[in-house]
Amino acid sequence: MTKTVFITGASSGIGYACAEKFAEKGYNLVLNARRKDRIDELSERLRSLHKINVKELIFDVRDKKAVEEGIAHLKSEQIEPDILVNNAGLALGLSNFYEGDIQDWEQMVDTNVKGLLYVSKAVAKGMIGRRSGHIINIGSIAGRETYLRGNVYCATKHAVHSLSEAMRMELVQHGIKVSLVSPGATNTEFSLVRFKGDKETADNIYQGYKPLSGDDIAECIVFCAQLPPHVNINDMLIMPTAQATATIFNKKPAGS
Ligand code: NDP
Ligand code: 8X3
């Protein structure tokens, strides 16, 4: 039977690439993000290219009521996600905590931690009832290491790491897989968002080496999703070859 994948944050970067790769493999999709125009364009294209069903769920994962209503609506339409990719997330700012913007902290915690929990709780209920499912959480190298001025973002991704372990322990008895996929530097809109539209600073993050792309990470996510039922990847850390740790890179000087 054709499986359905629910991807949060599918309007850009890793989530967008996941939608394309799962569609190529013939999966039906549920696509979420806040930017409706982008999800409309992507859904339309994938429907006509791959003859799959694509359901759009436009909501902010921070909005608990919208999340619950959106997922209840799926149930009313008999759409049952087999795989959930908890990808929606962001970093905002890069500053010492004592100079940090409290609104930025709240948005990161509310999106990366609380939003992921709201979506997971609502989707897990159906998976438990069906005694099958796969939750794939997008962590980060920032969930393994803390780097200077990454404070709150790193803390949210450490929380995703810990929640992935907790989910796995609590869902194993229900036959549900939980995987954590943690990328290093990936060239998406991530840095543009972090630096609030400052393109020069954002572009500079990816200069002098070859970063990962959304496609590279999507490939790994699809690999996790397609393993046989008795095989689960608990934890996958993916780095560009030129990145050893959160902060150690093999960068070539400009012009070389
Ligand atoms: P992008 O900025 O390109 O994509 C982020 C996606 O998240 C967008 O689709 C955005 O959609 C969505 N999103 C953000 N906030 C919300 C919200 N409140 N509700 C619903 N959707 C939301 O970045 P990436 O693709 O790089 O990021 C995807 C994930 O990967 C994030 O969790 C990030 O932390 C993680 N990651 C990224 C790395 C990188 O170097 N790029 C490395 C490690 C992890 P919209 O704005 O339309 O709502
Ligand atoms: C994104 C990677 O190193 O910029 O999670 O935090 S990093």
Side-chain angles (χ1 to χ4, degrees):
M1 218 184 79
T2 306
K3 288 191 173 180
T4 299
V5 190
F6 179 177
I7 303 164
T8 67
S11 62
S12 166
I14 295 169
Y16 191 98
C18 281
E20 290 189 312
K21 289 227 184 283
F22 277 110
E24 276 167 27
K25 304 270 181 198
Y27 288 77
N28 291 323
L29 302 173
V30 177
L31 301 182
N32 155 264
R34 294 166 299 177
R35 284 171 290 182
K36 185 176 182 322
D37 52 337
R38 290 206 184 186
I39 296 290
D40 284 346
E41 173 277 328
L42 177 63
S43 302
E44 229 162 87
R45 189 162 58 75
L46 297 180
R47 269 186 212 112
S48 74
L49 210 56
H50 303 290
K51 312 293 170 225
I52 55 166
N53 298 326
V54 185
K55 173 77 183 171
E56 302 184 18
L57 273 191
I58 308 302
F59 58 65
D60 185 323
V61 296
R62 292 172 293 172
D63 182 343
K64 193 171 22 175
K65 192 160 174 276
V67 170
E68 285 167 358
E69 285 174 0
I71 293 166
H73 177 69
L74 288 184
K75 201 167 174 222
S76 74
E77 296 199 348
Q78 272 107 45
I79 299 171
E80 297 178 332
D82 300 285
I83 300 161
L84 166 63
V85 182
N86 271 318
N87 165 75
L90 77 174
L92 288 170
L94 188 68
S95 56
N96 294 313
F97 84 92
Y98 50 83
E99 292 160 328
D101 180 321
I102 290 177
Q103 270 187 354
D104 286 352
W105 297 353
E106 284 172 347
Q107 187 170 347
M108 287 187 276
V109 172
D110 289 350
T111 308
N112 302 359
V113 183
K114 291 165 70 181
L116 177 144
L117 278 167
Y118 299 154
V119 174
S120 302
K121 182 174 186 216
V123 172
K125 266 189 197 153
M127 290 179 170
I128 289 169
R130 296 189 297 281
R131 291 202 59 77
S132 79
H134 192 173
I135 297 177
I136 303 176
N137 293 327
I138 308 308
S140 170
I141 180 65
R144 301 295 184 87
E145 294 175 42
T146 305
Y147 53 83
L148 202 59
R149 295 186 286 274
N151 43 62
V152 176
Y153 178 68
C154 293
T156 66
K157 289 296 177 179
H158 276 71
V160 172
H161 189 161
S162 175
L163 285 171
S164 301
E165 291 178 348
M167 288 179 187
R168 191 175 309 114
M169 288 175 196
E170 294 165 17
L171 291 172
V172 69
Q173 69 212 10
H174 299 286
I176 297 166
K177 298 185 188 189
V178 179
S179 302
L180 173 65
V181 173
S182 301
T186 310
N187 193 355
T188 60
E189 292 179 9
F190 177 85
S191 292
L192 196 63
V193 171
R194 168 171 251 174
F195 299 111
K196 303 180 180 178
D198 176 348
K199 196 169 171 340
E200 201 183 327
T201 305
D203 286 348
N204 195 39
I205 299 288
Y206 307 110
Q207 294 306 307
Y209 69 105
K210 186 165 184 182
L212 300 167
S213 66
D215 275 352
D216 294 326
I217 302 304
E219 193 82 44
C220 296
I221 292 169
V222 171
F223 173 77
C224 289
Q226 292 203 309
L227 288 165
H230 69 290
V231 182
N232 184 45
I233 303 274
N234 283 5
D235 203 348
M236 192 188 250
L237 176 63
I238 310 145
M239 304 289 276
T241 303
Q243 183 181 12
T245 71
T247 53
I248 299 177
F249 287 79
N250 176 24
K251 290 194 185 184
K252 304 271 176 286
S256 71

